[in-house]
């Protein structure tokens, strides 16, 4: 045995030496950054779904998979076959570089001459980005025969046609995405070359004009590929000219530039890494067959059917999710589902605009998404909220590798679940971990270790891991007990995972970790090179889920319509698991004729009441003491919510007097999913929200409520939001109208508990409404608004908000669901006078939810929200309401244009309540100001203060404003600063100020291009306006020449209290003269 042990030790030692190098190091690790997302016989296959339209466009690129006949001939004329090793331009097989260029390369160099500047000869500094932390710069030098880094233009002249073909093919999918914003410019650049027919030009241009950027990009790329070598080269030359305008394209070109001219060497590296020794082919084949069998079916829970679980083919049921190559907010301050739901619509818009880079599952180890320049392997993190599809995504990745679709440069893939690793409570090594799941490897693992670059390890569910992995703990690198230097070293599971991610074990291997956002902070100091997050369903993908689930498409359409029309239900439908709850619960309402349409759930609590009701209806009579059993399950669920635990063991069940055997059938099997593995049995609720609902339900299943007020207060005071959804459910269950459906099986809820919950909500709303200083305070107030909504108790809302006059959420992002909840609260109360929603990221959809309540407020702040003309139309509707009480309206920087201003101005001319209007920083231009000016001349218009700063007003539009000022008797404060009025525009306004009807008291003219000449006209006009109290003339071009006139104005206007002249061109003497006037009367302020 000792001898065998020695041999084993030698094997490990030799393996360690291999790990430091590996095949990749032997030929230069500089090329590892260009690792392909996919390289298989089905090259370029998109694992996602495509529409018929897209497929039609893509079909034009069928010849892309191999060179066109023209290219074959050219390659063969150089003595190269398609399968031969291709030597670089200007080289012979010996690798010596010659300095001649072929004719096409000479042609291209002239085409792009001057497009780039020669790079300075310096090392390349890169920065690894992790969260908000920026690592120290890592200095690397591009591998070149000289110290000079070639420009991309120079590289183009060095590549032959076949190399450029291979490069185009390799970057095909990323290029299509990268050029979406620049297709029209690229088309026009290529037009003089005559490669496209007029019809082809029109086809591309029409797609661009319709806003179909993705389709236009696909078509443009496929047309170029059809045209052959020269067109392809001109396309890349055009890319050089456009790279500074297209960030994603710039990223690709810089990446290729780092690679250098030797593209064929890179391909050879790739071939060498994917080649498997013949004696290992059998075990690889066995491994792929095993993984394929494990992953080819997808189990779906169907609680309303006879089968508890129904199996589908993975490929038939898998719905592609949108993944973005970034992660937001690694530290959560609110419930993960609510936080991601809050950001989801914004991310969706950014995705549609191309501002967020999408990443497919086969691109997770693609260098372009890497934020690290580590040469020793790649670690990727994919985050996603509970139920978003992380585990199903892992299943799809493993299945696609096993079936040869993706990641064929990995020779072996090993996948582990953290929930299984939790059961290992002793020291172990990587070898044993693998053999425990894949025993057929046997002694072949020693061969596997020899090429770490060919290994991918997947760890699913970091948030479920009960071990401690602290990547910020430096002791792990110094203390032997925490080190794991090779695969057969005995240590803790956490040490193995840590060492793989940090590239200390099997350096060169790749690692994928999935986690909920709640555990992202654990990875902040880890060597993660690719950060990604699953967005879930975007756009029509939501509807597609409903369409796939229901065989009857009429039912599918009806259910989806109900969900979409109910913002409360719709907001979280980006989450596949939540969609599953929706279809299970709502389906019967649209398939059974005897169901009352009025009973269809409209709140989240109502939805989950019906979800539990359906389970109880199917299985509730199978179990004795149902209420008591559900109470114990709820108590366990609550502990899980409190401790952020979603995985339970047999020990957890026994702790709460629940017998594991009860979960093998019937009611409890529906409520808790049992997962058996070789190592253990674990239980999880089908979704985190179901766990939270059952935890809330438990509060109403005990006769003695105990100190429930203390429990609720402590839960509400947590700063990470873990109890937010739980508290909404508790508030919702306090409503008899919501909970009645469960009484059939669970009996009446204790009246004492209901009263205490209602009293707690009442006091919490009152307390939070008076304290909205910080963002956390505003979020707490918003949560209490959700409690009111879920309670569906109008009397409670009126009692709690009856004394509240001000609601301010300024600066807190509000989703459409938040807006719907606020609208519900405001409509029930008549006391709220001041509603401040400035900078809340509200868009037209959110404002639509607020619409019915807007007219009730006296002050309405909506500035700095992306409302657009359509959103302002909704505000106009509130102003037209006969009961409108709005007196002060702030619509600064809301995206209003001159077109939208026409409709808005019509409303202004008839509204009698509005006195204060802020329209600054909108794109009104002269036409927009003209229509507003017309409204000011109407007799019913009562506006006293008008803000028109920075609206694009010029001297041409000033005449319309001047005309209104000369007849308007109500306007006392006018701000028109930051507009290009010049002296001529100010002169027109000055003339209006002479009118006896003009009552202007405060005039803002900062940054209007006013000079001494214009100031004299202004002073002359204002000297006849005794009502003026404030004048702003800052940041103009005034000099000492106009100081006497200004002094005279200050002295002759008895009511003038403040004149601001900062930012002008006065000398010290001029400033002294002006400042000396401060003492001529009490309260006068002169700012110079």
């Amino acid at each position: 045995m000792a001898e065998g042990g020695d041999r084993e030790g030698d094997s490990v030692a030799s393996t360690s030496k291999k790990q430091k190098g590996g095949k990749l190091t032997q030929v230069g690790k500089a090329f590892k950054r260009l690792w392909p997302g996919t390289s298989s016989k089905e090259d370029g296959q998109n694992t996602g779904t495509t529409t018929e339209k897209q497929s039609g466009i893509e079909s034009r690129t069928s010849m892309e998979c191999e060179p066109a006949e023209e290219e074959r001939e050219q390659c063969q004329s150089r003595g190269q076959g398609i399968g031969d090793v291709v030597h670089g331009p200007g080289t012979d097989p010996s690798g010596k570089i010659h300095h001649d260029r072929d004719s096409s390369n000479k042609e291209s160099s002239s085409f792009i001459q001057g497009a780039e500047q020669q790079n300075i000869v310096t090392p390349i500094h890169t920065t690894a980005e992790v969260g908000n932390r920026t690592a120290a710069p890592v200095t690397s030098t591009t591998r070149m025969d000289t110290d000079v880094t070639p420009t991309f233009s120079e590289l183009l002249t060095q590549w032959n046609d076949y190399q450029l073909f291979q490069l185009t093919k390799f970057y095909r999918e990323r290029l299509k995405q990268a050029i979406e914003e620049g297709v029209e410019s690229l088309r026009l650049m290529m037009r003089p070359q005559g490669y496209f027919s007029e019809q082809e030009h029109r086809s591309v241009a029409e797609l661009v004009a319709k806003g179909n950027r993705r389709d236009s990009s696909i078509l443009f790329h496929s047309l170029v590929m059809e045209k052959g070598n020269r067109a392809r080269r001109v396309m890349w030359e055009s890319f050089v000219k456009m790279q500074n305008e297209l960030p994603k394209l710039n990223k690709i070109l810089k990446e290729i530039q780092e690679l250098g001219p030797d593209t064929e060497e890179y391909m050879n590296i790739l071939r060498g890494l994917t080649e498997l020794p013949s004696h290992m082919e059998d075990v690889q084949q066995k491994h792929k067959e095993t993984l394929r069998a494990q992953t080819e079916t997808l189990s779906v829970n169907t609680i309303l059917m006879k089968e508890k679980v129904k199996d589908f083919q993975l490929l038939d049921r898998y719905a592609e999710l949108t993944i973005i190559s970034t992660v937001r907010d690694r530290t959560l301050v609110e419930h993960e589902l609510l936080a991601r739901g809050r950001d989801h619509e914004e991310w969706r818009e950014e995705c549609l605009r191309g501002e967020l880079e999408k990443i497919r599952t086969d691109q997770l180890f693609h260098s372009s998404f890497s934020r690290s320049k580590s040469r020793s392997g790649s670690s990727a993190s994919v985050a996603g909220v509970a139920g978003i599809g992380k585990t199903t995504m892992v299943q799809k990745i493993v299945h696609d590798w096993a079936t040869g679709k993706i990641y064929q440069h990995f020779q072996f893939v090993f996948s582990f679940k953290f929930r299984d690793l939790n059961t290992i409570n002793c020291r172990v090594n990587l070898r044993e971990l693998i053999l425990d799941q894949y025993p057929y490897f046997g002694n072949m693992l020693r061969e596997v270790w020899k090429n770490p670059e060919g290994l991918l390890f997947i760890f699913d569910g970091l948030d479920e891991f009960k071990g401690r992995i602290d990547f910020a703990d430096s002791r792990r690198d110094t203390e032997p007990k925490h080190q794991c230097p090779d695969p057969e070293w005995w240590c803790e599971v956490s040490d193995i995972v840590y060492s793989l991610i940090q590239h200390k074990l099997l350096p060169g291997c790749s690692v994928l970790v999935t986690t909920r956002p709640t555990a992202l902070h654990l990875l902040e100091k880890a060597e993660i090179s690719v950060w990604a997050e699953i967005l879930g369903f975007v756009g029509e993908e939501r509807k597609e889920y409903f369409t796939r689930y229901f065989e009857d498409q009429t039912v599918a359409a009806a259910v989806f319509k109900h969900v979409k029309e109910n913002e409360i239900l719709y907001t979280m439908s980006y989450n596949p698991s939540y969609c599953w709850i929706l279809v299970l619960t709502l389906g019967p309402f649209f398939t059974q004729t005897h169901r009352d349409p009025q009973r269809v759930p409209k709140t989240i609590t109502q939805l989950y009441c019906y979800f539990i009701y359906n389970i109880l209806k199917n299985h509730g009579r199978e179990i004795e003491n149902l209420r008591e059993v559900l109470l114990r399950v709820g108590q366990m669920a609550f502990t899980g919510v409190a401790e952020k635990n979603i995985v339970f063991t047999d020990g957890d069940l026994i702790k709460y007097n629940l017998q594991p055997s009860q979960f093998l059938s019937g009611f409890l099997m529906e409520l808790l999913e049992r997962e058996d593995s070789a190592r253990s049995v674990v239980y999880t609720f089908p979704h985190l929200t179901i766990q939270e609902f059952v935890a809330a339900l438990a509060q109403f299943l005990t006769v003695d409520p105990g100190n429930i007020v203390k429990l609720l207060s402590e839960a509400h005071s947590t700063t990470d939001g873990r109890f937010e959804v739980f508290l909404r459910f508790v508030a919702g269950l306090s409503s008899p109208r919501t909970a009645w459906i469960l009484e059939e099986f669970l009996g009446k809820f204790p009246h004492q508990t209901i009263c205490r919950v209602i009293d707690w909500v009442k006091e919490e709303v009152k307390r939070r409404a008076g304290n909205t200083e910080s963002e956390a305070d505003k979020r707490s107030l918003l949560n209490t608004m959700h409690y009111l909504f879920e309670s569906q108790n109008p009397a409670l809302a009126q009692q709690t908000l009856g004394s509240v006059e001000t609601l301010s959420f300024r600066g807190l992002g509000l989703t459409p669901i938040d807006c719907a909840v606020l609208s519900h609260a405001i409509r029930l109360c008549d006391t709220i006078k001041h509603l401040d929603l400035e900078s809340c990221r509200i868009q037209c959809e959110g404002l639509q939810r607020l619409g019915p309540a807007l007219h009730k407020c006296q002050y309405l702040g909506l500035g700095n929200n992306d409302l657009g003309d359509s959103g302002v139309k909704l505000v106009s509707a509130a102003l037209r309401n006969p009961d409108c009480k709005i007196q002060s309206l702030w619509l600064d920087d809301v995206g209003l244009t001159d077109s939208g201003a026409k409709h808005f101005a019509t409303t202004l001319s008839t509204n009698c309540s509005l006195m204060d209007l802020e329209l600054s920083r909108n794109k009104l231009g002269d036409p927009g100001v003209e229509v507003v000016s017309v409204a000011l001349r109407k007799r019913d218009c009562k506006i006293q203060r008008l803000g028109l700063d920075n609206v694009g007003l010029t001297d041409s539009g000033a005449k319309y404003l001047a005309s209104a000022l000369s007849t308007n008797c109500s306007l006392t404060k006018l701000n028109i600063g930051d507009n290009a009025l010049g002296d001529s525009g100010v002169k027109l306004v000055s003339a209006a100020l002479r009118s006896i009807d003009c009552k202007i008291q405060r005039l803002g003219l900062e940054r209007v291009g006013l000079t001494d000449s214009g100031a004299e006209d202004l002073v002359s006009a204002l000297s006849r306006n005794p009502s003026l109290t404030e004048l702003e003339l800052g940041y103009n071009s005034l000099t000492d020449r106009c100081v006497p006139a200004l002094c005279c104005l200050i002295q002759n206007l008895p009511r003038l209290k403040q004149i601001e002249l900062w930012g002008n061109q006065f000398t010290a003497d001029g400033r002294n003269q002006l400042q000396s006037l401060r003492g001529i009367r009490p309260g006068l302020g002169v700012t110079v």
Side-chain angles (χ1 to χ4, degrees):
M1 289 296 292
E3 186 179 354
D6 289 340
R7 280 200 299 270
E8 184 171 310
D10 291 339
S11 172
V12 173
S14 64
T15 298
S16 297
K17 292 177 183 177
K18 290 268 187 183
Q19 291 164 12
K20 292 178 182 177
K23 292 182 181 179
L24 190 62
T25 308
Q26 297 167 15
V27 289
K29 283 190 177 180
F31 299 104
K32 189 172 189 299
R33 292 192 299 277
L34 271 295
W35 205 270
T38 175
S39 175
S40 68
K41 293 177 182 178
E42 300 179 47
D43 184 38
Q45 178 171 341
N46 189 339
T47 55
T49 57
T50 56
T51 63
E52 289 181 18
K53 186 176 181 181
Q54 293 164 356
S55 301
I57 295 173
E58 291 281 16
S59 67
R60 302 180 65 103
T61 65
S62 58
M63 290 301 294
E64 223 178 300
C65 298
E66 54 181 299
E69 192 65 34
E70 171 195 356
E71 296 171 79
R72 279 202 182 95
E73 290 173 2
Q74 291 183 8
C75 290
Q76 289 166 358
S77 69
R78 299 188 185 102
Q80 299 167 351
I82 298 301
D84 297 336
V85 175
V86 182
H87 299 293
T91 69
D92 58 28
S94 68
K96 295 178 180 178
I97 299 177
H98 303 297
H99 298 286
D100 59 327
R101 300 283 185 267
D102 61 24
S103 59
S104 67
N105 289 342
K106 289 177 182 176
E107 214 175 314
S108 66
S109 66
S110 64
F111 181 85
I112 55 178
Q113 188 173 6
E116 296 179 274
Q117 294 182 345
Q118 179 69 34
N119 283 358
I120 306 299
V121 185
T122 55
I124 300 169
H125 295 277
T126 59
T127 302
E129 177 189 304
V130 182
N132 294 326
R133 172 184 62 88
T134 303
V138 181
T139 304
S140 63
T141 307
T142 306
R143 189 185 69 81
M144 295 291 294
D145 292 336
T146 69
D147 289 333
V148 179
T149 302
T151 66
F152 194 87
S153 303
E154 290 174 332
L155 291 176
L156 270 178
T157 63
Q158 296 176 45
W159 289 323
N160 64 26
D161 292 336
Y162 183 73
Q163 287 174 304
L164 201 57
F165 166 79
Q166 291 286 67
L167 201 66
T168 310
K169 174 182 166 186
F170 178 71
Y171 281 97
R172 172 179 50 195
E173 295 304 323
R174 286 181 56 205
L175 282 173
K176 289 174 186 174
Q177 190 181 131
I179 66 174
E180 284 182 2
E181 299 292 334
V183 171
E184 180 65 7
S185 297
L186 290 168
R187 178 186 73 82
L188 294 173
M189 282 184 184
M190 294 192 67
R191 187 163 196 161
Q193 310 298 318
Y195 292 111
F196 295 171
S197 69
E198 284 303 312
Q199 180 58 44
E200 289 169 337
H201 274 292
R202 280 197 299 273
S203 297
V204 175
E206 285 172 4
L207 287 173
V208 172
K210 292 177 181 177
N212 297 339
R213 293 177 306 212
R214 185 172 185 272
D215 289 349
S216 68
S217 174
I218 292 171
L219 179 59
F220 175 82
H221 186 276
S222 63
L223 287 172
V224 171
M225 294 304 290
E226 286 179 7
K227 305 303 178 183
N229 299 326
R230 185 68 193 119
R232 189 156 42 244
R233 189 170 294 276
V234 172
M235 177 180 72
W236 281 95
E237 291 163 350
S238 302
F239 287 169
V240 173
K241 291 187 173 184
M242 288 289 293
Q243 70 181 104
N244 291 329
E245 298 176 33
L246 301 172
K248 294 179 187 177
L249 181 62
N250 189 39
K251 191 176 182 181
I252 293 173
L253 298 191
K254 286 184 176 179
E255 180 181 298
I256 297 172
Q257 190 175 336
E258 283 188 42
L259 174 66
D262 302 322
T263 56
E264 75 280 2
E265 183 175 352
Y266 164 67
M267 295 297 178
N268 288 336
I269 293 170
L270 180 59
R271 276 194 290 273
L273 287 173
T274 54
E275 287 176 2
L276 193 69
S278 57
H279 65 282
M280 296 180 68
E281 290 177 356
D282 289 342
V283 72
Q284 187 193 58
Q285 185 61 30
K286 171 69 175 174
H287 189 49
K288 287 190 172 184
E289 289 173 358
T290 301
L291 294 181
R292 185 165 59 247
Q294 291 175 350
T295 58
E296 62 188 359
T297 59
L298 183 66
S299 297
V300 178
N301 294 322
T302 54
I303 64 171
L304 299 182
M305 301 181 185
K306 292 181 180 179
E307 316 101 311
K308 153 70 175 162
V309 176
K310 192 171 182 179
D311 290 333
F312 297 89
Q313 288 297 306
L314 175 67
L315 298 181
D316 293 339
R317 203 71 177 184
Y318 183 76
E320 196 68 34
L321 300 168
T322 297
I323 307 175
I324 54 173
S325 60
T326 187
V327 172
R328 310 280 185 94
D329 305 326
R330 295 198 178 100
T331 302
L332 288 179
V333 293
E334 61 178 326
H335 192 284
E336 62 182 277
L337 290 171
L338 303 180
R340 278 358 189 212
R342 190 175 304 285
D343 292 332
H344 189 269
E345 287 305 306
E346 178 188 346
W347 292 0
R348 180 180 71 86
E349 291 298 323
E350 290 182 18
C351 267
L352 293 176
R353 293 194 301 264
E355 294 172 13
L356 281 179
E357 192 164 12
K358 292 199 287 188
I359 178 172
R360 299 194 313 269
T361 53
D362 61 337
Q363 296 174 317
L364 289 170
F365 296 96
H366 202 301
S367 65
S368 65
F369 297 102
S370 175
R371 289 173 172 79
S372 168
K373 297 300 180 182
S374 170
R375 308 289 182 90
S376 58
S378 179
S379 295
S381 162
V382 177
V385 298
I388 199 71
K390 299 182 296 295
T391 298
T392 307
M393 178 201 72
V394 167
Q395 181 179 343
K396 182 68 161 51
I397 289 174
V398 173
H399 181 269
D400 285 352
W401 175 81
T403 53
K405 293 179 181 176
I406 66 171
Y407 293 144
Q408 291 309 286
H409 58 285
F410 291 129
Q411 294 173 349
F412 296 99
V413 173
F414 301 107
S415 181
F416 303 93
K417 291 183 177 180
F418 276 106
R419 65 174 59 171
D420 294 335
L421 298 178
N422 283 334
T423 63
I424 303 174
N425 51 16
C426 59
R427 296 174 78 82
V428 71
N429 61 34
L430 182 59
R431 180 177 184 275
E432 292 301 320
L433 282 182
I434 293 176
L435 289 179
D436 186 59
Q437 285 192 213
Y438 313 109
Y440 44 81
F441 273 93
N443 290 330
M444 293 298 292
L445 280 177
R446 296 177 184 175
E447 293 294 319
V448 172
W449 310 141
K450 292 179 181 179
N451 185 25
E453 291 91 351
L455 304 180
L456 170 61
F457 293 92
I458 302 176
F459 295 96
D460 183 28
L462 174 63
D463 54 282
E464 299 175 4
F465 189 45
K466 295 183 178 178
R468 184 172 179 271
I469 307 180
D470 187 355
F471 290 92
D473 188 355
S474 59
R475 291 177 303 170
R476 281 190 174 274
D477 299 327
T478 56
E479 296 182 4
K481 68 177 182 179
H482 290 304
Q483 293 178 357
C484 183
D486 66 60
E488 302 188 15
W489 186 274
W490 294 86
C491 57
E492 300 295 330
V493 171
S494 58
D495 296 327
I496 294 174
V497 177
Y498 172 89
S499 299
L500 284 171
I501 292 175
Q502 298 297 81
H503 315 302
K504 298 181 183 301
L505 173 60
L506 296 174
C509 74
S510 294
V511 183
L512 171 62
V513 181
T514 71
T515 181
R516 285 165 55 199
T518 53
L520 265 177
H521 64 282
L522 297 175
L523 294 172
E524 189 171 354
K525 302 290 184 180
E527 292 293 330
I528 300 294
S529 51
V530 176
W531 296 94
E533 177 151 356
I534 302 179
L535 230 61
F537 294 142
V538 173
E540 288 299 303
E541 292 168 351
R542 304 187 192 204
K543 185 176 181 180
E544 184 183 341
Y545 182 95
F546 289 77
T547 303
R548 282 189 174 199
Y549 186 88
F550 293 104
E551 293 181 4
D552 187 338
Q553 293 305 296
T554 304
V555 174
V559 173
F560 183 73
K561 182 174 182 288
H562 176 77
V563 171
K564 192 168 185 180
E565 289 175 351
N566 190 319
E567 192 62 47
I568 307 299
L569 302 181
Y570 185 66
T571 293
M572 286 198 296
S573 63
Y574 68 89
N575 189 307
S577 290
Y578 179 75
C579 285
W580 171 76
I581 295 170
L582 285 170
V583 295
L584 280 175
T585 307
L586 297 178
F589 287 96
F590 297 91
T591 55
Q592 300 177 15
T593 54
H594 66 276
R595 291 285 182 123
D596 182 359
Q598 297 301 316
R599 296 288 187 186
V600 182
K602 295 179 177 62
T603 71
I604 300 294
T605 309
Q606 290 171 1
L607 178 75
Y608 282 77
C609 281
Y610 273 99
F611 178 83
I612 297 297
Y613 171 79
N614 286 329
I615 297 178
L616 295 174
K617 184 179 179 183
N618 289 342
H619 300 286
R621 307 193 191 283
E622 300 172 358
I623 194 167
E624 295 181 8
N625 301 319
L626 179 60
R627 183 170 177 141
E628 180 63 27
V629 171
L630 195 54
L631 169 63
R632 294 199 293 269
V633 174
Q635 290 170 336
M636 183 179 73
F638 178 82
T639 301
V641 172
E643 298 175 357
K644 296 198 284 191
N645 176 39
I646 62 172
V647 181
F648 304 92
T649 64
D650 284 338
D652 294 322
L653 267 60
I654 293 170
K655 180 180 177 181
Y656 288 92
N657 295 318
L658 295 165
Q659 295 302 318
S661 59
Q662 292 177 298
F663 290 82
L664 295 176
S665 64
F667 160 68
L668 291 176
M669 187 180 178
E670 302 286 7
L671 195 57
L672 269 178
E673 296 177 348
R674 174 189 172 104
E675 183 178 323
D676 294 277
S677 69
R679 292 185 178 276
S680 65
V681 176
V682 296
Y683 306 86
T684 59
F685 288 89
H687 190 247
L688 172 61
T689 50
I690 295 175
Q691 178 179 336
E692 291 165 324
F693 181 81
V694 174
L697 185 60
Q699 311 308 314
F700 296 87
L701 298 181
T702 177
V703 177
D704 180 14
N707 200 346
I708 191 171
V709 172
K710 180 181 178 184
L711 181 148
L712 297 177
S713 297
E714 290 177 351
H716 187 69
S717 65
T718 54
T719 57
D720 62 3
R722 71 183 73 178
F723 288 109
E724 285 179 27
V725 173
F726 162 80
L727 288 169
R728 293 183 189 184
F729 283 141
V730 170
L733 287 168
S734 71
S735 168
R737 288 169 44 188
T738 295
W740 72 272
I741 189 71
L742 297 175
E743 292 178 358
E744 178 183 342
F745 298 99
L746 301 178
K748 292 277 188 182
F749 288 0
H751 181 70
Q752 187 179 11
T753 302
I754 293 173
C755 290
R756 289 190 184 181
V757 170
I758 290 175
D759 288 342
W760 176 80
V761 171
K762 187 188 305 181
E763 292 304 314
E764 200 63 34
V765 173
K766 289 181 178 179
R767 187 162 67 91
R768 300 291 175 180
N771 180 20
T772 56
E773 291 297 320
S774 69
E775 183 175 327
D777 294 332
K778 291 168 185 171
R779 182 171 288 112
S780 290
L781 175 59
L782 180 62
N783 283 330
T784 61
M785 296 290 107
H786 279 275
Y787 305 157
L788 284 178
F789 179 83
E790 288 295 325
S791 73
Q792 291 292 290
N793 187 336
L796 176 61
Q798 290 166 357
Q799 290 174 24
T800 54
L801 295 174
S803 59
V804 176
E805 293 188 354
T806 299
L807 285 177
S808 175
F809 295 97
R810 178 187 289 255
L812 182 69
L814 299 179
T815 64
I817 188 174
D818 295 330
C819 294
V821 166
L822 282 178
S823 178
H824 173 264
I826 296 170
R827 275 182 289 170
L828 292 174
C829 305
D830 294 320
T831 58
I832 296 175
K833 299 176 181 178
H834 187 109
L835 182 61
D836 187 353
L837 301 179
E838 298 257 349
S839 305
C840 289
R841 295 189 294 183
I842 298 173
Q843 296 182 339
C844 184
E845 186 180 357
L847 196 62
Q848 192 170 8
R849 306 292 171 181
L850 279 165
L854 295 180
H855 70 280
K856 303 184 71 173
C857 308
Q858 293 179 14
Y859 172 91
L860 180 58
L862 293 171
N864 199 26
N865 289 298
D866 188 16
L867 305 182
D869 291 341
S870 53
V872 175
K873 262 189 179 180
L874 297 171
V875 178
S876 299
L879 291 172
R880 288 196 303 272
N881 190 304
D883 298 323
C884 180
K885 299 176 182 178
I886 299 174
Q887 296 177 13
S888 181
L889 176 61
W890 284 65
L891 290 173
D892 50 309
D893 195 16
V894 295
L896 178 65
T897 69
D898 59 337
S899 177
K902 293 177 182 176
H903 185 274
F904 183 66
T906 303
T907 303
L908 292 180
S909 62
T910 57
N911 178 278
C912 297
S913 65
L914 191 63
M915 294 185 289
D916 181 2
L917 177 61
E918 183 58 67
L919 293 175
S920 296
R921 297 191 302 283
N922 285 297
K923 298 178 181 178
L924 301 180
D926 292 334
V929 174
E930 179 183 357
V931 294
V932 172
S933 301
V934 171
L936 290 174
R937 291 201 296 267
K938 298 293 183 180
R939 182 178 300 176
D940 290 332
C941 184
K942 300 294 189 295
I943 293 177
Q944 297 176 8
R945 193 198 72 87
L946 177 62
L948 290 173
D949 290 326
N950 193 12
V951 295
L953 176 64
T954 71
D955 57 345
S956 298
K959 61 184 177 183
Y960 304 111
L961 185 61
S963 174
L965 291 177
S966 62
T967 57
N968 182 285
C969 298
S970 63
L971 195 64
T972 59
K973 298 178 182 178
L974 176 64
N975 293 329
I976 50 175
D978 284 296
N979 288 298
L981 297 177
D983 289 340
S984 55
V986 174
K987 186 174 183 178
L988 290 168
V989 174
S990 301
L993 296 175
R994 300 173 190 270
S995 170
I996 192 171
D997 291 326
C998 184
K999 300 294 188 296
I1000 292 292
Q1001 298 175 10
R1002 184 188 184 281
L1003 181 61
L1005 287 170
E1006 66 278 8
R1007 294 185 181 90
V1008 295
L1010 182 65
T1011 70
D1012 294 333
S1013 175
E1016 291 170 359
D1017 288 324
L1018 180 65
V1019 168
S1020 173
L1022 291 177
S1023 61
R1024 302 183 186 182
N1025 188 322
S1027 61
L1028 192 69
T1029 60
E1030 293 182 50
L1031 179 62
E1032 292 184 5
L1033 295 175
Y1035 290 99
N1036 284 295
S1037 301
L1038 305 182
T1039 71
D1040 288 359
R1041 174 184 152 189
C1042 67
V1043 168
L1046 290 171
C1047 290
C1048 183
L1049 178 69
I1050 295 170
Q1051 292 171 331
N1052 293 335
L1053 290 179
R1055 294 186 182 179
L1056 187 66
K1057 294 180 179 179
Q1058 181 69 35
I1059 182 168
E1060 296 184 356
L1061 297 165
W1062 26 251
N1064 282 289
Q1065 299 169 14
F1066 301 119
T1067 65
D1069 182 55
R1071 286 196 296 271
N1072 290 333
Q1073 288 185 56
L1074 291 166
Q1075 291 171 345
S1076 67
L1077 297 176
R1078 291 173 179 168
I1080 64 172
R1081 59 178 175 270
L1084 176 63
V1086 181
T1087 306
V1088 185

